[in-house]
Amino acid sequence: MPRPAASSVGRPIAVTASDSTTRSALVQFLLRLGDDRLVLGHRLSEWCGHGPILEEDIALANIALDLVGQAALLLDLAGATEDAGRDGDALAYLREAIDYRNVLLVELPKGDFAFTVVRQFLFSVAAYYQLEGIARSTQTDLAGIAAKALKETRYHVRHAGEWVIKLGDGTDESHARTQSALDGLWRYTGEMFQTDAVDAALVGAGLVPDLTTVEPRWLAQVTDVIERATLTIPAAGYMQRGGRSGRHTEHLGIMLAEMQILQRSYPGAKW
Amino acid sequence: MPDSPDAVREFEARIAAGETIEPKDWMPDRYRKQLIRMMSQHAHSEVVGMLPEGNWITRAPTLRRKLGLLAKVQDEAGHGLYIYCGTETLGIDRAELVDQLLAGKAKYSSIFNYPTLTWADIGAIGWFVDGAAIVNQTMLAKASYGPYARAMVRICKEENFHKRQGYEIMATLSAGTPEQKRIAQDAVNRWWWPSLMMFGPSDKDSPNSAELTRWGIKRKGNDELRQRFVNLTVGQAVAIDLVLPDPELRHDAETGNWHFGPIDWDEFTRVVHGDGPLNRERLAARQDAHRAGAWVRDAAVAHAAKRAAAADAVAKSAAA
């Protein structure tokens, strides 16, 4: 999996409007995108060797590779933009849970196969429409990463969507498990579309297009697949949030403890 | 019905002439059985082999290492699938082979019954286990059965990449902090002898060797391959300042080989027969995954049947 060397760290990044507010908003935005992918990729990688069929071990590992690969690029770019001497690895392995900026949706434990594919579908459809917009960013490094990620995400949407339909419209048991996964996950979907001052600063500076059209497009596609899967969209209710400001579930700290153990145990070592 | 002597003679003449046997060709029943045994063991080894390395995916120390390890374990799943498909050309179902594994009736490479205790084990497995596999598979790439030989050619390319990746992990650790060097040496100490056992018992004690050699499935003996692996690896260890745990290791000027000490075949036999450190855990992990995935496989079948019925109904109403 090719990725740029960490040597890009320290290289001043060409932020079009290079004032410090825009720069720090861009760093936050990149952390959000990168953390979503790192945490979800990590969760998917937990399936490796334990999938329901060998083909799915391969497919889930493939999606995990794409997501962690995207995260590596995004976090390296976040580090370079921040210009404080941190590369992607420092950001991934040496931040606390309260510094992570991923949505809560992606940090929930992997659950059963229905939970994993429903979450993947809900996330990937949103990611697809977001990346479509971000690929038009005037920040060319970011636009390039988004364009590459968009191609990968098209496959993730298709793969997860096909499974949602197969499981929803499969047996009674698979239907019940998939509906239960959807019911459990629905309250975490709103956070993916939440916007705040970070988005406003970047849209204002012309670095990122306005992404408010993502949610209706997401809902239309999700509804279509859910209906074909003979499943029911859960009733609207309170949407959990907090990940974007570091207010996470208890699951993230445990996940990071595992992920970060070597970097934490051997400070400064090279791997 | 036993194979006719004429047919066997003709078959063996083809092997002797270096011809490749393809799925539709006639072959002795024993040849078919030996290949199914060998190829399915190989496929099972790839699949069980995902477990010890998979154990470290969530703890890989950098993003680059995480991607590398995840890709490697994914490759192993791909190899498993590829070799299962190759085995199916001999007229047996993958599901039947998997059932044999889950029932504890099929063997897989014993090395995967050892635990991965530190990150350095990921380096040692790539370097030694993939290194040994390459020596073995380079020979199998010339096997008389076409589908197996072709699978080996493709798999060897990826194994070479894995071996380089593992060796590079070890080189990095060996040149790192004293604690990193310590885990690297400890991994070498634990994985070296089981890696030598991967080639199997000495040919004189190997029940299948003679037949496999006569039929061109194996082109070289276990001892010859083991010696080749040792000869290749000694210099690699010296180059990264790690010590192979064998006080008898010395270069024999006469043969050009590296002489190595006696292998503990009692340990080998014990692990093969189920009393290795993790035999039960490895099998249980495969059984758990299979059991937990049963409803998923059932759903896929049920959904495909519904789709087929719907397509059928559409076709009928169009015809009406």
Side-chain angles (χ1 to χ4, degrees), chain B residues 136-216:
Chain B
N136 196 36
Q137 291 168 9
T138 304
M139 179 266 299
L140 290 172
K142 299 183 188 79
S144 56
Y145 189 56
Y148 197 25
R150 288 188 289 273
M152 290 304 104
V153 170
R154 181 170 142 178
I155 288 170
C156 262
K157 283 184 193 154
E158 293 184 351
E159 302 284 24
N160 268 304
F161 179 74
H162 297 163
K163 189 206 150 183
R164 278 205 301 277
Q165 187 171 281
Y167 185 63
E168 198 235 321
I169 288 174
M170 292 306 262
T172 306
L173 293 175
S174 186
T177 66
E179 188 57 16
Q180 286 178 305
K181 172 117 191 179
R182 188 176 81 90
I183 61 171
Q185 183 60 54
D186 182 69
V188 166
N189 296 348
R190 283 181 289 111
W191 289 94
W192 174 248
W193 290 107
S195 299
L196 295 193
M197 294 175 198
M198 280 176 72
F199 295 95
S202 184
D203 298 306
K204 59 185 186 332
D205 304 320
S206 178
N208 296 303
S209 274
E211 198 170 50
L212 295 175
T213 306
R214 182 157 54 95
W215 283 335

Side-chain angles (χ1 to χ4, degrees), chain B:
Chain B
M1 196 177 64
D3 299 323
S4 91
D6 283 351
V8 174
R9 248 194 309 280
E10 197 185 322
F11 175 82
E12 290 188 344
R14 287 190 64 194
I15 300 274
E19 286 184 44
T20 302
I21 308 302
E22 294 297 334
K24 287 187 174 134
D25 296 348
W26 185 87
M27 61 188 82
D29 194 45
R30 278 289 299 166
Y31 180 85
R32 187 184 300 276
K33 287 209 169 90
Q34 283 282 26
L35 273 169
I36 289 175
R37 183 187 61 80
M38 259 183 90
M39 291 175 72
S40 62
Q41 274 182 19
H42 192 160
H44 298 327
S45 300
E46 298 280 359
V47 172
V48 178
M50 295 169 72
L51 297 170
E53 290 177 282
N55 180 37
W56 279 90
I57 290 173
T58 53
R59 289 177 288 171
T62 67
L63 295 172
R64 184 172 145 253
R65 292 296 184 204
K66 197 181 192 72
L67 290 166
L69 181 57
L70 189 50
K72 177 178 195 275
V73 180
Q74 186 199 32
D75 281 347
E76 281 155 12
H79 297 170
L81 196 56
Y82 196 53
I83 303 171
Y84 278 131
C85 291
T87 317
E88 286 188 324
T89 63
L90 293 159
I92 188 161
D93 232 35
R94 174 174 143 201
E96 197 179 333
L97 298 171
V98 171
D99 284 345
Q100 288 170 3
L101 173 70
L102 297 177
K105 288 181 195 152
K107 285 182 185 156
Y108 55 86
S109 186
S110 272
I111 193 118
F112 301 121
N113 292 315
Y114 291 85
T116 48
L117 301 181
T118 70
W119 170 252
D121 290 35
I122 300 309
I125 289 178
W127 179 22
F128 290 162
V129 179
D130 289 84
I134 291 165
V135 168
N136 196 36
Q137 291 168 9
T138 304
M139 179 266 299
L140 290 172
K142 299 183 188 79
S144 56
Y145 189 56
Y148 197 25
R150 288 188 289 273
M152 290 304 104
V153 170
R154 181 170 142 178
I155 288 170
C156 262
K157 283 184 193 154
E158 293 184 351
E159 302 284 24
N160 268 304
F161 179 74
H162 297 163
K163 189 206 150 183
R164 278 205 301 277
Q165 187 171 281
Y167 185 63
E168 198 235 321
I169 288 174
M170 292 306 262
T172 306
L173 293 175
S174 186
T177 66
E179 188 57 16
Q180 286 178 305
K181 172 117 191 179
R182 188 176 81 90
I183 61 171
Q185 183 60 54
D186 182 69
V188 166
N189 296 348
R190 283 181 289 111
W191 289 94
W192 174 248
W193 290 107
S195 299
L196 295 193
M197 294 175 198
M198 280 176 72
F199 295 95
S202 184
D203 298 306
K204 59 185 186 332
D205 304 320
S206 178
N208 296 303
S209 274
E211 198 170 50
L212 295 175
T213 306
R214 182 157 54 95
W215 283 335
I217 298 172
K218 286 186 72 163
R219 301 285 187 188
K220 286 183 175 134
N222 294 349
D223 292 323
E224 186 184 351
L225 293 168
R226 184 169 17 246
Q227 184 65 61
R228 178 167 168 70
F229 172 70
V230 173
N231 290 351
L232 286 168
T233 310
V234 171
Q236 293 166 1
V238 171
I240 58 172
D241 196 24
L242 291 170
V243 181
L244 300 176
D246 181 356
E248 291 189 33
L249 201 63
R250 62 178 165 74
H251 192 253
D252 184 335
E254 207 167 303
T255 59
N257 288 327
W258 280 87
H259 166 81
F260 53 93
I263 291 172
D264 182 354
W265 291 113
D266 289 344
E267 175 180 334
F268 175 78
T269 307
R270 190 169 67 239
V271 180
V272 167
H273 289 133
D275 285 323
L278 292 181
N279 296 55
R280 286 170 181 78
E281 285 85 345
R282 296 298 187 228
L283 196 56
R286 289 312 312 157
Q287 288 164 342
D288 287 350
H290 192 76
R291 204 179 303 121
W295 69 268
V296 177
R297 297 188 299 275
D298 290 347
V301 171
H303 181 76
K306 285 183 189 180
R307 284 269 266 268
D312 209 32
V314 170
K316 272 186 188 139
S317 75

Side-chain angles (χ1 to χ4, degrees), chain A residues 45-122:
Chain A
S45 77
E46 293 172 349
W47 278 99
C48 200
H50 308 280
I53 43 169
L54 204 45
E55 284 84 344
E56 254 343 89
D57 276 299
I58 296 172
L60 294 181
N62 211 6
I63 298 175
L65 276 168
D66 286 345
L67 291 173
V68 178
Q70 293 169 16
L73 295 169
L74 290 160
L75 293 178
D76 271 344
L77 185 58
T81 308
E82 182 189 56
D83 203 15
R86 296 198 288 184
D87 62 4
D89 281 335
L91 289 168
Y93 289 93
L94 298 173
R95 273 182 304 153
E96 291 292 337
I98 53 172
D99 303 316
Y100 262 72
R101 291 292 177 262
N102 58 281
V103 290
L104 304 178
L105 177 78
V106 296
E107 72 196 40
L108 303 172
K110 75 183 199 301
D112 66 6
F113 188 71
F115 191 89
T116 286
V117 297
V118 171
R119 166 167 60 189
Q120 192 62 48
F121 178 67
L122 296 172

Side-chain angles (χ1 to χ4, degrees), chain A residues 24-269:
Chain A
S24 78
L26 183 57
V27 172
Q28 285 300 309
F29 188 77
L30 290 165
L31 289 177
R32 291 173 178 185
L33 287 176
D35 290 348
D36 280 350
R37 284 152 182 80
L38 176 58
V39 173
L40 185 55
H42 184 101
R43 286 298 187 211
L44 280 175
S45 77
E46 293 172 349
W47 278 99
C48 200
H50 308 280
I53 43 169
L54 204 45
E55 284 84 344
E56 254 343 89
D57 276 299
I58 296 172
L60 294 181
N62 211 6
I63 298 175
L65 276 168
D66 286 345
L67 291 173
V68 178
Q70 293 169 16
L73 295 169
L74 290 160
L75 293 178
D76 271 344
L77 185 58
T81 308
E82 182 189 56
D83 203 15
R86 296 198 288 184
D87 62 4
D89 281 335
L91 289 168
Y93 289 93
L94 298 173
R95 273 182 304 153
E96 291 292 337
I98 53 172
D99 303 316
Y100 262 72
R101 291 292 177 262
N102 58 281
V103 290
L104 304 178
L105 177 78
V106 296
E107 72 196 40
L108 303 172
K110 75 183 199 301
D112 66 6
F113 188 71
F115 191 89
T116 286
V117 297
V118 171
R119 166 167 60 189
Q120 192 62 48
F121 178 67
L122 296 172
F123 176 84
S124 295
V125 175
Y128 184 82
Y129 292 123
Q130 279 161 352
L131 291 166
E132 220 177 35
I134 297 167
R136 297 193 302 269
S137 171
T138 52
Q139 213 287 355
T140 51
D141 290 328
L142 175 57
I145 296 170
K148 174 181 174 288
L150 188 63
K151 286 184 199 150
E152 296 169 344
T153 307
R154 187 176 295 134
Y155 161 75
H156 306 170
V157 168
R158 197 177 65 220
H159 187 78
E162 280 170 5
W163 270 113
V164 170
I165 293 171
K166 276 186 219 173
L167 297 179
D169 189 20
T171 62
D172 289 346
E173 182 183 3
S174 70
H175 180 87
R177 283 176 181 265
T178 312
Q179 185 65 55
S180 163
L182 187 61
D183 293 343
L185 286 161
W186 196 254
R187 73 180 72 101
Y188 294 100
T189 55
E191 194 180 16
M192 294 192 289
F193 312 106
Q194 177 196 328
T195 54
D196 59 15
V198 167
D199 305 87
L202 297 176
V203 173
L207 283 176
V208 174
D210 184 359
L211 297 174
T212 51
T213 59
V214 168
E215 188 169 9
R217 295 167 80 194
W218 172 84
L219 186 60
Q221 186 169 350
V222 166
T223 304
D224 174 55
V225 168
I226 294 299
E227 283 173 0
R228 281 159 59 198
T230 71
L231 297 163
T232 311
I233 296 271
Y238 181 75
M239 286 290 169
Q240 294 291 328
R241 56 177 56 188
R244 295 299 192 213
S245 52
R247 302 295 182 254
H248 290 277
T249 67
E250 291 178 346
H251 304 295
L252 183 65
I254 294 166
M255 194 201 102
L256 293 181
E258 184 176 353
M259 189 179 99
Q260 297 179 338
I261 184 165
L262 288 172
Q263 289 279 355
R264 299 288 192 182
S265 306
Y266 302 77

